[in-house]
C-alpha cells in the first residue's frame, strides 16, 4: 500500500532547455527541487538568470548544473497543478538611484591689455633685459630686491583695477586681506599640469588668481596659452569639466579668474634656446580676510 502511494506521489519531470536539450528526472510532488524548477521557469528573464541550481542524477551520483534562465519549458507526467506549488512572485529589485543631471558652471575670465603704463612697463623690461651697449648681456634674473619696485607697481595696479574686475566677474566686493605675487617671473618652457590653487587650508582664503604676461618684442615664441577649465556639479560634488577657455599670453596683459577654477599652462616653444626668447609671467592671488 505504501509503495503504491509513493508511486502515485511521484512525478516524471522533463526539463526542456534552451538550445533544444532536455533532461528527465523523477521527483515526488513535495520535493523542493520540483518547486525550484517551476520557480525558475516563472522568473525566467526577471533577474536571477546568472544563478544556477543542481539536479542530482540518482543513477551515478552525478549532478547537472543548470543556469536558471536556461529552462525553456517543463513537462510533467501526470500533470500537476502549478498553484499547488505556492510559487512566490519575484520581489521587485530596487531601482538604482538616478544620477543627478550634470550641471556645467562656465568659467569667467577678465583679461586686461596694456595693464602697466608705458613708463612702468619699460622699468620692468629694463629690470629683466639689459640695454644694448651695457657691459652685461643676456637677461638679468631679478632678485627680490631688484624686482621689488616692479612688484609694488604691479600690485598697486591690481588693487586699483580690482573693483572693475569684480563687477566683470559678477562678484560682490569682499574684505581684502592681502595680495600675493611670485617674486620671480615664471619662464619655464615646459608646460604645467592641471592645477587648482585654493584646495588646501593655507590657500582656502584665496578668491582670485591673476597672471601677468610680458616678453621681448617681436614675440619670440609660440605656445604658453593658459586653459581655465569650466566646473561641473554632479551629485553635489564640484570637479573640473572637460571644457575650458583659452587665454592668449598677450604682451603686457593680465588675466583674472576664480581660484576655484582649475587651470593649465601649456608648453612654451621659443624660437631659439636663448633665455630671452621665453614667455615671462608673474602669478599672484588675492585673498579675502578670514
Amino acid at each position: 500500500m505504501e509503495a503504491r502511494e509513493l508511486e502515485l506521489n511521484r512525478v516524471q519531470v522533463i526539463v526542456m532547455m534552451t538550445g533544444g536539450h532536455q533532461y528527465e528526472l523523477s521527483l515526488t510532488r513535495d520535493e523542493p527541487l520540483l518547486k525550484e524548477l517551476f520557480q525558475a521557469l516563472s522568473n525566467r528573464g526577471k533577474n536571477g538568470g546568472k544563478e544556477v541550481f543542481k539536479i542530482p542524477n540518482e543513477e551515478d551520483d552525478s549532478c547537472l548544473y543548470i543556469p536558471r534562465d536556461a529552462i525553456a519549458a517543463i513537462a510533467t507526467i501526470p500533470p500537476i497543478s502549478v498553484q499547488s506549488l505556492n510559487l512566490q512572485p519575484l520581489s521587485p529589485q530596487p531601482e538604482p538611484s538616478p544620477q543627478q543631471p550634470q550641471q556645467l558652471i562656465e568659467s569667467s575670465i577678465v583679461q586686461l591689455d596694456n595693464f602697466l603704463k608705458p613708463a612702468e612697463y619699460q622699468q620692468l623690461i629694463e629690470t629683466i633685459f639689459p640695454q644694448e651697449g651695457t657691459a652685461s648681456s643676456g637677461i638679468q634674473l631679478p632678485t627680490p630686491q631688484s624686482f621689488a619696485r616692479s612688484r609694488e607697481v604691479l600690485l598697486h595696479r591690481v588693487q586699483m583695477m580690482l573693483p572693475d574686475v569684480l563687477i566683470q566677474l559678477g562678484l560682490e566686493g569682499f574684505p581684502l586681506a592681502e595680495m600675493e605675487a611670485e617674486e620671480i617671473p615664471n619662464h619655464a618652457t615646459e608646460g604645467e599640469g592641471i592645477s587648482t590653487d585654493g584646495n588646501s587650508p593655507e590657500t582656502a582664503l584665496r578668491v582670485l588668481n591673476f597672471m601677468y604676461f610680458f616678453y621681448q618684442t617681436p614675440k619670440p615664441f609660440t605656445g604658453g596659452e593658459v586653459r581655465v577649465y569650466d566646473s561641473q556639479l554632479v551629485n553635489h560634488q564640484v570637479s573640473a569639466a572637460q571644457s575650458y577657455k583659452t587665454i592668449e599670453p598677450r604682451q603686457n596683459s593680465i588675466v583674472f579668474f576664480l581660484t576655484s577654477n582649475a587651470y593649465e599652462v601649456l608648453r612654451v616653444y621659443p624660437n631659439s634656446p636663448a633665455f630671452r626668447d621665453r614667455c615671462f609671467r608673474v602669478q599672484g592671488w588675492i585673498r579675502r580676510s578670514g
Side-chain angles (χ1 to χ4, degrees), residues 117-130:
K117 296 178 180 178
E120 297 168 340
Y121 181 73
Q122 185 62 31
Q123 182 182 29
L124 172 62
I125 291 298
E126 291 176 359
T127 301
I128 307 299
F129 303 102

Side-chain angles (χ1 to χ4, degrees), residues 29 34-35 38-39 80-88:
R29 293 175 183 268
L34 181 63
K35 181 177 180 178
F38 276 93
Q39 188 75 63
I80 64 172
S81 170
V82 176
Q83 287 77 9
S84 67
L85 297 176
N86 295 319
L87 301 181
Q88 299 298 316

Side-chain angles (χ1 to χ4, degrees), residues 103-120:
Q103 179 182 349
L104 184 68
I105 306 171
E106 289 193 26
S107 58
S108 297
I109 61 173
V110 172
Q111 188 168 15
L112 305 176
D113 292 309
N114 301 316
F115 187 66
L116 293 182
K117 296 178 180 178
E120 297 168 340

Side-chain angles (χ1 to χ4, degrees), residues 2-36:
E2 291 182 1
R4 175 64 177 169
E5 289 180 357
L6 182 60
E7 185 66 24
L8 291 175
N9 194 41
R10 295 194 74 82
V11 178
Q12 192 72 16
V13 180
I14 304 172
V15 181
M16 287 165 275
M17 293 173 286
T18 56
H21 305 287
Q22 66 180 41
Y23 188 81
E24 297 185 18
L25 65 160
S26 178
L27 300 172
T28 60
R29 293 175 183 268
D30 58 355
E31 222 169 313
L33 182 56
L34 181 63
K35 181 177 180 178
E36 286 183 26

Side-chain angles (χ1 to χ4, degrees), residues 171-187:
L171 299 178
E172 296 183 356
F174 55 87
L176 180 64
E178 65 172 326
M179 292 185 291
E180 309 168 70
E182 292 182 347
E183 294 290 340
I184 299 177
N186 187 318
H187 47 259

Side-chain angles (χ1 to χ4, degrees), residues 204-278:
L205 296 179
R206 289 176 175 174
V207 179
L208 291 180
N209 282 26
F210 64 83
M211 296 182 185
Y212 173 76
F213 305 99
F214 66 99
Y215 43 81
Q216 294 265 67
T217 53
K219 185 179 177 181
F221 64 89
T222 58
E225 296 87 357
V226 179
R227 292 175 176 174
V228 179
Y229 285 83
D230 300 328
S231 300
Q232 58 186 2
L233 179 63
V234 180
N235 292 332
H236 309 291
Q237 298 292 324
V238 178
S239 60
Q242 296 294 317
S243 54
Y244 53 83
K245 292 181 174 64
T246 301
I247 300 166
E248 180 72 23
R250 297 196 292 264
Q251 172 74 297
N252 190 22
S253 74
I254 191 169
V255 64
F256 297 85
F257 56 91
L258 296 179
T259 302
S260 57
N261 287 120
Y263 67 92
E264 179 182 15
V265 180
L266 302 185
R267 180 173 181 170
V268 174
Y269 296 91
N271 293 343
S272 77
F275 202 50
R276 63 173 56 242
D277 288 349
R278 308 292 175 91

